Amino acid sequence: GLIPMMFPDYQRVDNAEANARFEKYWGRKLDTKPGLTVVEVMHAIKKGQIKGMYVQGENPAMSDPDANHAREALAALEHLVVQDIFLTETAYLADVILPAGAFPEKTGSFTNTDRMVQMGRQAINPPGDARQDLWIIQEIGKRLGLPWDYQHVSEVFDEMRHTMPSIGGITWGRLEREHAVTYPCTHEGDPGE
């Protein structure tokens, strides 16, 4: 599998201090070698170094700087899984499409580029066979033998706040009450910046 370049909160995987914190929190040894950029991934596919890919909510067949090269690379994969709410150009190339729930079909948090952590609340159920992202990810994890058994998205947020210093002071309860908090907010009770 590919290794990310960053842990959550823009903490580099090759930063010994960050790596040690995540290893301790997750209780497992983590790779310290940074992964590939999206462009490097496309080149690695063409070289036969990457055989399969799981794409969630992205459309590299259109967003890659060299879209034609990206489409050729994605088509060359032995197995492509796409999880999305639309039948994107990337999804057209997929072997398996996992229909995800759209924004009003799930509860969770999201963060904008202005650093505002916001609450999203489910208003309607996903249609047909569509499922919420957390359900899909947990089901894949279970099939890979991972002990993922989150009962609610608040448990995921709690894990995030304990591994991401920038949002460490934002509790799920506060997010429910205030609807949005701007990070950094490192200690409970901080107003946020």
Side-chain angles (χ1 to χ4, degrees):
L2 291 176
I3 306 303
M5 298 181 116
M6 302 279 182
F7 290 123
D9 222 8
Y10 303 103
Q11 301 172 81
R12 288 189 55 91
V13 299
D14 57 2
N15 176 299
E17 184 182 321
N19 190 281
R21 273 198 319 273
F22 280 94
E23 283 185 351
K24 182 178 180 184
Y25 191 87
W26 288 331
R28 63 184 62 224
K29 185 79 176 136
L30 300 171
D31 198 326
T32 59
K33 182 181 177 213
L36 305 174
T37 66
V38 174
V39 172
E40 290 169 338
V41 166
M42 297 307 164
H43 290 302
I45 293 169
K46 292 292 283 187
K47 292 177 185 172
Q49 298 167 333
I50 296 175
K51 306 286 186 196
M53 188 177 291
Y54 172 46
V55 178
Q56 180 186 3
E58 295 290 335
N59 191 10
M62 289 298 287
S63 61
D64 190 90
D66 185 345
N68 287 332
H69 182 258
R71 287 183 200 122
E72 288 174 14
L74 293 167
L77 288 166
E78 288 181 17
H79 195 68
L80 174 61
V81 177
V82 173
Q83 176 179 326
D84 213 320
I85 62 172
F86 300 110
L87 189 57
T88 64
E89 292 79 2
T90 302
Y92 275 110
L93 300 168
D95 298 292
V96 175
I97 299 171
L98 302 173
F103 180 82
E105 299 163 355
K106 58 189 172 187
T107 295
S109 68
F110 62 98
T111 305
N112 290 340
T113 55
D114 65 356
R115 301 183 339 268
M116 186 176 288
V117 181
Q118 298 176 68
M119 171 67 72
R121 290 180 172 85
Q122 182 176 358
I124 57 174
N125 290 323
D129 292 331
R131 297 289 182 267
Q132 295 179 6
D133 292 324
L134 181 57
W135 184 89
I136 295 170
I137 292 166
Q138 281 197 134
E139 288 302 310
I140 291 171
K142 287 175 186 175
R143 285 161 175 78
L144 294 171
L146 298 170
W148 294 348
D149 190 27
Y150 299 100
Q151 299 300 305
H152 189 266
V153 292
S154 61
E155 295 173 46
V156 177
F157 188 83
D158 193 56
E159 181 173 325
M160 290 170 54
R161 69 182 285 259
H162 284 95
T163 59
M164 300 169 64
S166 68
I167 66 167
I170 306 172
T171 65
W172 185 259
R174 179 178 178 185
L175 207 51
E176 285 183 317
R177 283 189 311 277
E178 297 180 18
H179 314 290
V181 179
T182 302
Y183 78 83
C185 182
T186 56
H187 298 91
E188 289 186 34
D190 286 353
E193 297 178 26

